[in-house]
Amino acid sequence: AQDGWRPLFNGTDLTGWANINCAPETFSVKDGMIHSTGAPICEIRIVDEAGKATETAHVPPAQLAKAVILNDQRGFLMAVVPGDRHVSFDDLWITLGRRLSLAPENSLAPVFRDCESGAIPPLGPAYGMKTIVDDSLFGQPEVYFESGDHRGLIRVDGEEFLTLLRDAMHGQFAH
């Protein structure tokens, strides 16, 4: 795009748009235009990243599980934290005895081949990655997380989410 502008619609599909409380067939693309079934009682919005998608979907940030990929000389570690918190590297050092840092974005593509950049689901064991979950996600009635792209969120029962991560470590390391 020229002069800092970017196209809002690619003319072929709804990539970059979030379906907010709509039936999947409500919006579609026909002849290079966005079409609606007629009188939607919902909306679609443009989204750029997980935080914006959850804001538009009205998801409480404490119920959004986000994956933060860290690494050190021993390899990758996925830290799973609520959307309104950040990883405390000092707390992870105390808990795990590892001096971790954020993994470079370009090192993640080979591991998460099925995901868009920045849209990694917080399911480290599914990718063979050691994982630690912040205790603040325990007890949530529902948990939402990225589906591997910026177009959808997955909602699961809180207990089911913890079942998905039953083999992960857990602790208090997010603030």
Side-chain angles (χ1 to χ4, degrees):
Q2 298 176 350
D3 301 322
W5 291 88
R6 68 177 178 92
L8 298 178
F9 174 56
N10 65 16
T12 57
D13 60 30
L14 295 173
T15 298
W17 292 78
N19 183 335
I20 310 301
N21 302 321
C22 299
E25 66 277 1
T26 302
F27 292 96
S28 62
V29 176
K30 294 178 186 161
D31 300 321
M33 297 175 58
I34 297 175
H35 287 261
S36 168
T37 55
I41 53 171
C42 56
E43 60 186 287
I44 57 173
R45 295 184 188 170
I46 298 169
V47 294
D48 289 327
E49 57 192 58
K52 290 182 182 176
T54 56
E55 286 173 18
T56 15
H58 308 292
V59 172
Q63 290 180 272
L64 171 68
K66 65 180 178 180
V68 180
I69 310 302
L70 310 170
N71 72 341
D72 63 6
Q73 71 281 1
R74 290 168 40 190
F76 290 119
L77 174 79
M78 178 182 288
V80 180
V81 299
D84 59 352
R85 298 194 181 194
H86 301 281
V87 172
S88 166
F89 290 95
D90 290 338
D91 288 346
L92 282 177
W93 165 244
I94 291 166
T95 303
L96 302 174
R98 293 177 69 175
R99 289 278 182 208
L100 295 153
S101 60
L102 287 174
E105 189 75 27
N106 62 357
S107 69
L108 302 179
V111 179
F112 300 100
R113 291 183 298 277
D114 60 338
C115 300
E116 292 178 6
S117 178
I120 296 170
L123 304 173
Y127 292 93
M129 186 174 290
K130 289 188 184 290
T131 303
I132 186 166
V133 181
D134 189 74
D135 287 341
S136 60
L137 284 165
F138 288 79
Q140 293 293 341
E142 296 175 323
V143 177
Y144 298 79
F145 56 90
E146 289 276 8
S147 61
D149 60 37
H150 293 290
R151 293 176 297 283
L153 294 174
I154 295 173
R155 179 186 68 178
V156 295
D157 175 81
E159 290 298 318
E160 289 298 318
F161 178 72
L162 297 177
T163 299
L164 289 170
L165 293 169
R166 69 182 163 272
D167 295 330
M169 301 171 282
H170 67 90
Q172 296 177 339
F173 59 90
H175 301 282

